[in-house]
Amino acid sequence: MLPILHALQGRFGLIGEEAVRLISAELNLSRAEVYGVVSFYHDFRKEPHGRHVLKVCRAEACQSMGSDAIADSLERALGIKFGETSADGQVTLEAVYCLGLCAVAPSAMLDGRLIGRLSEAKVALLAEEIRL
Amino acid sequence: MIRVFIPLDSFAVALGADEIADELALAITRSDLDATIVRNGSHGLAWLEPLLEVETPEGRIAYGPIEPGEIAGLLKAGFLTGGQHPKRIGDIQKHPYLANQTRLTFRRCGIIDPLSLGDYRDLGGFEGLKRAIAMTPHEIVQEVTDSGLRGRGGAGFPTGVKWKTVLETEADRKYIVVNADEGDSGTFADRMIMEGDPFCLIEGMVIAGLATKATKGFIYTRSEYPVAIRIVEEAIRLAYEAGIIGKSVMGTGPAFDIEMRVGAGAYVCGEETALLESLEGKRGQVRAKPPLPAHKGFMDRPTVINNIISITSVPIILAEGAEQYKNFGTGRSRGTIPIQIAGNVKFGGLYETAFGLTLGEIVDGIGGGTASGRPVRAVQVGGPLGAYFPRELFDTPFDYEAFAARDGLIGHAGLVVFDDSVDMLKQARFAFEFCAIESCGKCTPCRIGAVRGLESVEKIIAGDRPAENIALVEDLCNTMKFGSLCALGGFTPYPVMSAITHFPEDFHGHSQPVREAAE
């Protein structure tokens, strides 16, 4: 079911009620079973996210290089907290636990683009790019 | 035609390698230069990424770390003919960091174009598979058993024994499942091998298939690895096209199919039975064992489930023989291990070597101490569920048993270095928080224990009856360690207890509590 969910979310940006009905009918599963899978995985959403998605790594290797301070300044720069979408729908800020960039920490991913060695200077540039 | 190598590895890409490649491509077109760009994997010297190499009559000359915007200057300095430049390193293979390694599994990583079958064959690719095709399944299993290879995912279970069980279990269908769901902070070996040498993964899977009579293989990796997913999918397509896999392995063997599957951001799916559930399209919840996956795995069929580093170690074992591989290592930990040095460290990256170096040799010697220049205070070995080791334990040799003897684990061999600004109480809090977020929820010790643990640590932070709450945390850890269904709940006590044991000052520092004084 995961490849189906990835494809639907890739196309529509979220897994809505209709998608759950469709999958349950096609795979001969109850809606509860499908919903159980969708809600289990962090990647799947029921609500649409912002035009940009900024995922910031909060795991240990990034912590050791000061990612907590970087995360705070991102929250301030974007005016939202982790897990939130800005009021203008421009950006969603999410925590992620490890992007496999632990030797060039702290790291983040903006819409699938990887960013290593995050610094205050790079945060300012990122925030500017996101507002465009 | 001059070949310029620009890594496509995530380390390099995260630091602008794609932009650098675009800049160079533009310069080549504009000035009609006689050069072409090869996107290779990474040699693993992360602090030098993006590391560019140019092929000259004197060999490959490296330059790094290069930033976007530097191409014009490099070309001016005669970069295409190996000219002088402040960032010129010379032959990267002679760099002590690389020259001192023993590269078996990663021997092609960074050198070849990962999607070139020609490059792969030129450096010994498919030699192991060719030998395996001429052997019986029992002989292949025996060879892997003799090599002493143990699962590199962390548990260290002998790979040969696992394969033997699958081979000897009768069934209409059998499967090979490769666990590349590397979620531990501080680890990136799975990602690097997928991005740098994907045919080695395919070769290892086919050999595992021949050894166990399995005809289908899955690679399960994480959605956080976009580059690796793209490279492996392309490599699978090329392998089908070349007839290496498909209806007949290499045109003479039995059928073998490979499919890639992508997870959806659940850490627990790195646990083998949760991974199988996820592969079957269900919630990634842990199964009780027995039955073992070797008896009833994917779709209740006998399944080899191996970490990707175990699988990619197999081709060289078959190519050069078990004896050769076994000669490396110490005690019951045989062969080489790709150590991943990360976090607050000067020379971070991938270092493949035989087992047996001490932790201090790795952190101070190879890693060069912290990036911040402050003293090293703690090293977490084995991911978010691994123990924090203080300097006093830096004489611990890097092998499975030696770490276990000191209440630690080497896990997937990732090290995260912390300087003296680290607050171990905060790290203990994070361990519980992580477990609470990622618990699959099936067993009570993990599901409830992590949440209660988090609350208790927050009370300690607030100075609320610290002694009592530390005792409560210790009790919870004991329950989680012995009562959890899988390693997520079972290993969360490692970071917590090691922080309490080795860094007590961080816990009792908060203890002269406002509250008790007021009472």
Side-chain angles (χ1 to χ4, degrees), chain B residues 62-109:
Chain B
Y63 297 79
I66 304 300
E67 284 170 36
E70 283 195 280
I71 284 293
L74 273 170
L75 289 173
K76 218 173 177 180
F79 156 72
L80 290 180
T81 49
Q84 275 309 322
H85 186 276
K87 290 189 176 173
R88 187 181 191 274
I89 296 166
D91 183 354
I92 197 72
Q93 297 299 332
K94 294 204 178 101
H95 192 290
Y97 195 89
L98 210 48
N100 292 334
Q101 295 190 36
T102 305
R103 288 216 161 185
L104 301 180
T105 308
F106 280 82
R107 71 196 192 285
R108 277 179 295 259
C109 207

Side-chain angles (χ1 to χ4, degrees), chain A residues 6 40-43, chain B residues 181 220 222-224 263-269 438:
Chain A
H6 275 303
F40 181 82
Y41 295 95
H42 299 309
D43 281 2
Chain B
D181 195 59
Y220 186 98
R222 334 171 50 219
S223 58
E224 290 89 341
Y267 175 80
V268 71
C269 292
E438 298 294 349

Side-chain angles (χ1 to χ4, degrees), chain A residues 1-3 5-6 27 29 32-44 55 57-66 68-69 95-109 112-118 122, chain B residues 10-11 13-15 46-47 49 183-188 191 220 222-227 261-266 268-269 278 281-285 341-344 348-349 371 380 384 388 416-418 426-427 430 434 437-438 440:
Chain A
M1 193 190 306
L2 258 60
L5 292 172
H6 275 303
L27 299 185
L29 295 167
E33 281 172 296
V34 178
Y35 180 77
V37 173
V38 174
S39 61
F40 181 82
Y41 295 95
H42 299 309
D43 281 2
F44 301 129
K55 295 185 177 188
C57 180
R58 309 292 312 262
E60 288 92 339
C62 287
Q63 290 171 14
S64 76
M65 289 298 280
D68 287 349
V96 57
Y97 295 95
C98 201
L99 293 165
L101 298 171
C102 320
V104 297
S107 63
M109 180 155 76
R113 190 181 95 218
L114 300 166
I115 304 156
R117 293 198 193 114
L118 260 180
K122 281 194 189 175
Chain B
S10 291
F11 278 143
V13 170
L15 299 168
W47 76 98
E49 293 290 1
D184 286 357
S185 178
T187 61
F188 38 81
R191 176 183 66 64
Y220 186 98
R222 334 171 50 219
S223 58
E224 290 89 341
Y225 283 176
V227 181
R261 289 291 180 87
V262 180
V268 71
C269 292
S278 181
K282 302 175 195 153
R283 298 164 67 98
Q285 285 189 310
I341 308 170
N344 195 338
Q380 188 179 29
Y388 287 95
V416 178
V417 181
F418 291 83
K426 216 178 110 198
Q427 298 310 119
F430 178 77
F434 184 79
I437 294 172
E438 298 294 349
C440 84

Side-chain angles (χ1 to χ4, degrees), chain B residues 2-4 33-35 53-63 74-84 88:
Chain B
I2 300 164
R3 294 203 296 168
V4 179
L33 300 171
D34 186 30
E53 284 178 279
V54 59
E55 215 167 37
T56 71
E58 291 84 51
R60 276 160 76 157
I61 308 290
Y63 297 79
L74 273 170
L75 289 173
K76 218 173 177 180
F79 156 72
L80 290 180
T81 49
Q84 275 309 322
R88 187 181 191 274

